[in-house]
Amino acid sequence: MQRSPTAASHNTFTIRGELKQITVLFADVFGSTELIEALDPEEADRRLAPCIETMKEAVHRFDGTVVKIQGDGVMALFGAPNPQEDHAVRACCAALAMQAAFRALPAEAPPVRVGIHSGEVLARVIANDFSNEFDATGLTVHIANRLQNLAPPGGIALSSATLRGARQFVSVESLGTQPIRGLSAPLEIFLLTGLRRGPNSQRFSNEIGRSEFVGRDTEMAVLERGLERADEGDGCAVGLVADAGIGKSRLCFEFTERCRARGIRVLEGLALAHSRATPFEPVIDVMKALFEMTPDDEPERAREKIITVLQSLGVDLGADLALLFDFLGVADPATKLSRADPVVRRERLNGLFRRLIRTAGATTPAVILLEDLHFLDSGSESLLEVLAESLPGTRILLVVNFRPGYAAAWMHGDHYDQVSLAPLRRGAADQLAAQLLGDDESVAPLLSLMADRARGNPLFIEELVRKFEESGDLVGERGVYRLRRSPDMRLVPDTVQAIIGARIDGQPEAEKSILQTAAVIGREFALPVLARLVGGLASQLGNVMHRLASAGLVYEAGAGGDDLYAFRHPMVQDVAYHSLLSEKRRNLHAAVAAELEKTLPDPNGAQAGFIAYHWEEAGNPLQAASYSMKAGTWHGTRDAAQALQAWKRAHRLLSGLSLQGQQRYPLLMASGQIVNLAWREGLTAVDIEPYYTEALTIARELGDMRAITLLTAAYGRVLAASGSAEDYVATVDDVLATVDDSVRNASLRVVLTAILCHALRLSGSLSRALEANDRALARVKDIDDIDQQTLGFSIAIWINGMRAQILAMMGRFDEARPLLDALIAADETTVDVLHRLLAHATQCDIAWALGDLELLDFHSKQALQLAERSGNPYLLVYGKGYAGLAQAIRGAHSDATTTLSDALAYARRRNAGLENEARLLADLAHVQLRAGLVDRARDTAEEAAAVARRRGAKVWLAYSEWLIGGPASASFNSLVEATGAELLRRLSHPRA
C-alpha cells in the first residue's frame, strides 16, 4: 500500500498537535493488484474487505488505532492517541496476530506483509468538512511505509528502533542492512518470527553481563522474613511497590534465585501491558509452572503431566479436570465440556484454584511470584484474590510487585506486608554506573552527570549507558567503555521515554497542558509564574498540582506556603517539554522570560542566565546575549567557571548576528571577558588567541584605549600561565607606555601597574615588583568601578595579596604576616576564595622557612580545604601542591611524592596553574632528595630548571639550581642575588 499525501485545502486544518514517540504499522495485501485487476470496484471491495477487517481486528485487539484505510491496506498507530509504554511490543503482537489470521483465511486469500518502525512523529487531530481525524506525520511514518514494501510476502519487517523497544518479547532474524528511499544511510532490517513469553527470571538469567545487584539489603530482609513465616506454615504475601525502573523485578529475581539455591520451588507469572488481550495469562503461567509444562509440550503430553502432578498431590478433580485442561489450553478433543453460565464457570475455576493452592502448599514450601499487577486483567485479578485468601495455613509465600496507584481489596490484614522501593542511594547508584561504564579515567566525569540524570533509577542508569553507546559517545563494551565525546545529557532513551510518555499522556488534558507549560519554565517552577502562563486553567491550578503530585510527576519543593514545585524526575520534565511543538515552545519561552523580567527581585543578578536561556529558546538572540552578559558580570566576582560560560554563551549568540560599528561593542566585551577569565579556568594562550585577536581588532576599530589596555593585560596574564613570564612583563610594559598620565586614564594606569606587579613577581624581579606594588597601592582609590568589574575581583585585595607574597619571598616575614592575617580573617564576601587560599599558601612558605611544622600543617590544610570546596582547577593545583609540601616537611616522603606527582599531573591535564609547574617539580625534587633518591632528585630538578627557563621564572630556577648544585652553587647564589628571593636562602641555610 502506497500512502499518498492528503491534499491541503482551506477546509482542512490542524486542531492540535504534539510530538510523540510511538510505533507506526503499515500492512497491505501482497499482490492485490493482480487479485482485483479484472474485477469491478464493487467486487474488488468485496474481495478485499475480509482482509481489511482482519487487519483492523488485529490492531484493535492490542489497542492500536487504525488511522488510514486505503485500498488494500491500513496504517495503524500504537502509543497514540492511546498512551502505551509498550507500543513497540503491541505493534509486534498485532502484526503476528494479523499474520496468523491471514493464514486462517480461505486458501486463495493472498498473504499480508507488514512494516513496523518506532520513533518521533507529529501527532495531531485534523478537521475537515466531514470529521475530525487523528493523524501522524514525519520521517517515522515514511520509514514504516518503506519497511512494509521491503517485507517479504507474508512477512513482518521491523526496524532496530522497534526491536529496541520490544527486544525482551520478540524473536527476529536479521534481513541485513538495506537502503531506504529518502534516507542518506541504510538501515538494518529484521524479520519478526514470533513472540517470546517467559518470566522475568529467564530474561535476567540469559542477560549477558548482568549488572551488579546493589543497595537492596533492607527490602531483601523483608522478603526473607516473609519466607521464614511461610516456611513455618503461616502463608503470607509481600507486595513491592515502586515506579518503573526502580528495580522491583531485579529484586524479585535475586530473591527467587536464593530460594531456588535452597531447593524452594518458585512459580512465576508476569502481567504485560497488553495482557488484557489474552486474559488469565499470568495465572496460567503460574499453573503451568506448577504442572511443569513447557511451551514445547503437545496437548497430550501436557495433560499427562497435569495428571501426574495431581496424583502426587493426592487430588482428584473429577469433572473439574476437563475444566482445568480447557483453562490451560490443552483440552482433550474427545471430551466435550458442557456449556455453563459464565458466573458458574468462574465459581468452579475459583474453587478449583483454591483447592490446588491449599493442597500444593500444605507440606512443601514454595514461592509464587506475580509481577506487574498494574497490568493485570480482571480475570487474573479475581483468581489472585482467591490465591491471597487461600494463603493462611499453607507454606506458600506470595510475592507481588506493582507501580504506585494499584490497589486490591486483599492487600491488608495480618498476612500482607508491603514495601515501597525508593531510588538507589547515591553510593549504590554510582557503584552500578561505575560497574557498567568501567574504570577508564575518561568515563569518570559521567558518574556525577548520570547521578543527576537518572536519580537513582537502575533502569534509567542502564538505558543511559546503552544510549551513549548507540550514539557513539562511548566506545568499547559493557564494563570497559572509553568516553569518545561528551554525551548530550538531555537525551532520553527510547525505553524510558515510552514509560514516561505514557504516564504523561494518561493525564487529563488540563493536567497535561499545565505540566507541559511548567516544563518550559524549568526543573523547578513557582506557581504564581505558572498561573500567569496557563490562562483560563489558572483557577484549577491548585487541584491540578495536587493530582500531578499524587501521580508522582511533581512534588512541592518549597517550604510551606512557598508555592514552589519541581519535577519528580528530570526526564519527566524533558519528555513533557519535547512533546510541545516548536512554535508553542518558543512562545512559552518568550512569555516566561517576560514574566521573569517583571517578577524576579533582581533579574540582572543571579537569575540573569536563566532569563538568557529563555530568550534564546524563544528565538531572541539579542535579548539572550544581553542577559548572558549580565550573568557573566554578576558571576565574575563569585564563580569564574560560571562567568566564563555566560560570556561564551553571549559570544556565541552575538557572533550569529550582523553587527556593525558600535553595535560590535558587546562582542568586544564578551571576547575580552573570555580572555580575562581564561587563566582562572585553565585555558591556554592558544585556546584564547582567537578571542584576543577578535577583541583587539574591534577595540582598535572603535578606538577604545581602555579595552585595548585591559584586553592585552589579560592576555599577558595567560601568557604567564602557559607561555613566558618575561613575555608577560614585556606585553604590559608596552601597553603602559601607550597610556598617558591624564586624569581620564588614572584608573587605567593603576590597574596596569598592579598587573605589571604581578608579571614582575612571576618573572622573579621582586624588587621591581615591590616598586610597582608601592605605586599601585598609593593610587588604589583611583580605580573606577568599571575596571573592578572588568577584572572580576577586587583589585585592592589583589594588590595587598601580591604585596604579602613578594615580601614573604624576599624574607621580610614580619611585614608580610599582618597582610596575610588580614586577608584570612576578612569576611568571605570581601576576600574571594582565590586570595584567601593564596594567603594561606604564603603562610605555608613562611612557616617552612621558619621550620614551624605546626603552622605549616594548619595553613596547608586550610588551603586544600578551600581548593576542594571550590572545585576550581587552578586552586586545586595550589591546594594539592602545598599539601604535598607539608607532607614532605613532616617526613612523609612517600605520601608527599604521590601528592605532588598528582598535583603536577592534574595541572598539566587541566592546563591549570601552570605558572606554578616549575615550583611543583622543584618541590618534588626536594622530597626525593630528602628521601635519599639523589639521582632521581637531580633529574626532576633539571626538568624543573628547564621549565623555569622556558617560563622566565627566575625564582623557581634558583630553587632548582640549589637542588642541583647545593646551597653553595654559584648559579643559585647569583639568582638569589638577582631576584631578591631571600626565602630560598633561608631554606638552603636552615641555621642562618
Side-chain angles (χ1 to χ4, degrees), residues 746-773:
S747 174
L748 218 51
R749 287 195 66 83
V750 179
V751 173
L752 279 168
T753 303
I755 294 170
L756 178 63
C757 169
H758 182 258
L760 290 166
R761 184 182 69 79
L762 291 180
S763 73
S765 302
L766 299 181
S767 296
R768 279 193 64 197
L770 190 58
E771 291 171 5
N773 190 275

Side-chain angles (χ1 to χ4, degrees), residues 87 130 175 278 323 397-398 428 514 545 566 615 674 780 900 933 953:
H87 49 76
F130 306 103
L175 294 175
T278 51
L323 177 63
L397 170 65
L398 170 64
I514 287 172
M545 295 313 297
W615 279 125
I674 292 169
V780 73
L900 288 167
L933 304 172

Side-chain angles (χ1 to χ4, degrees), residues 624-644:
S626 172
Y627 275 100
S628 289
M629 293 170 72
K630 292 171 182 176
T633 300
W634 190 86
H635 285 298
T637 56
R638 297 168 175 84
D639 188 324
Q642 290 197 55
L644 183 60

